[in-house]
Amino acid sequence: MAKMNFGGVEETVITREEFPLEKAREVLKDETIAVIGYGVQGPGQSLNLRDNGFNVIVGQREGKTYDKAVKDGWVPGETLFSIEEACEKGTIIMCLLSDAAVLAVWPKIKKYLTAGKALYFSHGFAITWNDRTGVVPPKDVDVIMVAPKGSGTSLRTMFLEGRGLNSSFAIYQDYTGKALERTLALGIGIGSGYLFETTFKREAVSDLTGERGALMGAIQGLFLAQYEVLREKGHTPSEAFNETVEELTQSLMPLFAKKGMDWMYANCSTTAQRGALDWMTPFHDAIKPVVEKLYDSVESGIEAQKSIDSNSQPDYREKLEEELKELRESEMWRAAETVRKLRPEGC
């Protein structure tokens, strides 16, 4: 495992060169990997493992996602089973259910966690807040995690393109003495670009903070605030959307993703440079207290409890669709539909 310098701070990183696919196959040659759940992460991880030559089966209850698994080539009775059957057959149980589903299915999974097996997660939620989730594994199994830093769809797409999505990894419990090798082999097997070390708690807290912050919650809030001000001051929907969202996502983000924010600043107009440099500090000062409040809410378990309470309601899906419909039908995102249609072909 190599030490890499990230902005002056050393971190442990594992690359494909250090832990090649051939080694991963050797480590897991006698294992049966049971992927439980075929929703968000399940398809990408299981298909990548299968394509990389590992012994993989899928456990999924019957329904739309079961039918999707069949379409993806998983064969009922051979590589596709009920959750209970897959857990019984698997020596590594990859729990890739949603956080809400884990709570409901956990008693079924726990029943088959016999000595020496490994319990794998791609999110630290259930273990970090197990005083709230009830997910307390037996002491005689390995409890490990590989968390891709992106969606299961991205993991699969980048794998098919010959690239890799970076992942974090963590060991919560090492009963067999093989937990680290198992974890790294699985991380390489699912198609990670490189792996960086974390803990279950750090992954869970940073993940929930990111989702509620810069990745989703905060960015929608920022977009909407700027769009509303522009519209209230007389700008058209097209102009407001282009200056708020379209230019950022289609022009600027690829630039600073590739070369950094300093490069983007250096290669825009002098007017844009001056304004961006002057206003980034007021935005930072206004937003940081909100992020600190968010982090405290996540770390204390408040956000986890909100998720548990909300997702366990029988009308959760209906209420979610109402909220998403409101977002979808807002003027800003209706304007987006028209703007996307006007993009040159291939964009």
Side-chain angles (χ1 to χ4, degrees):
M1 293 189 287
K3 292 289 186 180
M4 300 290 289
N5 191 301
F6 292 85
V9 179
E10 279 197 343
E11 293 187 37
T12 300
V13 169
I14 294 87
T15 67
R16 295 176 181 180
E17 288 72 32
E18 292 177 272
F19 205 104
L21 184 58
E22 293 74 21
K23 182 177 180 179
R25 290 193 188 111
E26 178 65 23
V27 169
L28 301 179
K29 65 180 180 180
D30 297 322
E31 304 270 19
T32 298
I33 304 166
V35 174
I36 307 303
Y38 208 74
V40 178
Q41 283 288 337
Q45 294 200 33
S46 61
L47 291 170
N48 290 1
L49 283 165
R50 186 178 72 182
D51 289 355
N52 271 333
F54 294 88
N55 181 25
V56 190
I57 61 175
V58 171
Q60 175 61 46
R61 65 183 181 183
E62 292 191 10
K64 289 183 179 179
T65 47
Y66 185 96
D67 296 341
K68 182 182 186 305
V70 172
K71 288 179 182 178
D72 286 344
W74 301 101
V75 181
E78 294 181 17
T79 55
L80 178 60
F81 302 93
S82 69
I83 289 173
E84 293 90 338
E85 286 180 291
C87 286
E88 184 176 19
K89 293 176 182 294
T91 58
I92 297 174
I93 298 175
M94 296 179 70
C95 184
L96 299 181
L97 299 157
S98 69
D99 293 328
V102 172
L103 273 64
V105 178
W106 173 242
K108 296 179 182 179
I109 296 174
K110 187 175 182 179
K111 178 181 176 181
Y112 296 102
L113 285 173
T114 52
K117 288 192 176 187
L119 175 63
Y120 167 111
F121 292 93
S122 281
H123 188 18
F125 186 103
I127 293 293
T128 298
W129 293 293
N130 59 17
D131 58 328
R132 300 167 187 265
T133 65
V135 178
V136 180
K139 296 294 184 184
D140 56 359
V141 299
D142 293 343
V143 183
I144 61 181
M145 177 176 68
V146 177
K149 298 299 104 180
S151 70
T153 302
S154 298
L155 182 73
R156 181 61 175 166
T157 300
M158 293 173 75
F159 175 85
L160 293 173
E161 293 173 350
R163 300 188 292 150
L165 186 66
N166 302 328
S167 303
S168 60
F169 75 92
I171 312 295
Y172 179 78
Q173 193 168 281
D174 183 3
Y175 171 76
T176 65
K178 302 185 296 181
L180 179 59
E181 277 204 330
R182 278 171 146 178
T183 304
L184 298 182
L186 288 164
I188 296 300
I190 66 170
S192 301
Y194 68 82
L195 295 148
F196 60 94
E197 193 172 19
T198 187
T199 66
F200 272 67
K201 183 174 181 179
R202 287 200 340 244
E203 190 282 332
V205 171
S206 61
D207 188 77
L208 265 66
T209 300
E211 291 166 348
R212 287 150 177 76
L215 301 179
M216 295 175 69
I219 199 165
Q220 165 62 14
L222 174 60
F223 284 166
L224 185 59
Q226 181 168 305
Y227 181 89
E228 287 176 341
V229 169
L230 289 172
R231 290 288 289 121
E232 289 160 5
K233 299 300 183 182
H235 299 268
T236 65
S238 177
E239 186 170 52
F241 186 83
N242 271 279
E243 295 293 354
T244 299
V245 181
E246 190 75 353
E247 185 174 352
L248 173 65
T249 59
Q250 301 303 301
S251 175
L252 300 182
M253 285 183 75
L255 294 180
F256 66 75
K258 186 175 182 179
K259 297 191 175 183
M261 191 67 77
D262 60 320
W263 187 93
M264 190 186 78
Y265 275 31
N267 287 274
C268 64
S269 72
T270 55
T271 302
Q273 287 172 355
R274 184 69 269 140
L277 290 166
D278 288 347
W279 278 93
M280 67 180 185
T281 299
F283 272 110
H284 166 271
D285 294 348
I287 292 168
K288 188 172 181 181
V290 179
V291 177
E292 288 175 334
K293 183 178 179 181
L294 164 60
Y295 188 91
D296 291 342
S297 186
V298 171
E299 189 177 40
S300 66
I302 292 173
E303 294 299 312
Q305 192 62 53
K306 285 180 180 178
S307 295
I308 293 168
D309 293 344
S310 173
N311 296 344
S312 61
Q313 296 299 313
D315 60 348
Y316 166 71
R317 288 292 175 187
E318 290 79 5
K319 288 181 177 177
L320 173 64
E321 181 50 38
E322 287 176 14
E323 292 180 283
L324 294 179
K325 181 181 179 183
E326 184 179 347
L327 188 64
R328 183 169 58 248
E329 295 183 355
S330 65
E331 185 188 275
M332 182 171 72
W333 291 111
R334 282 190 290 115
E337 292 178 9
T338 304
V339 170
R340 286 195 292 268
K341 291 175 184 176
L342 293 170
R343 288 176 188 165
E345 190 172 343
C347 294

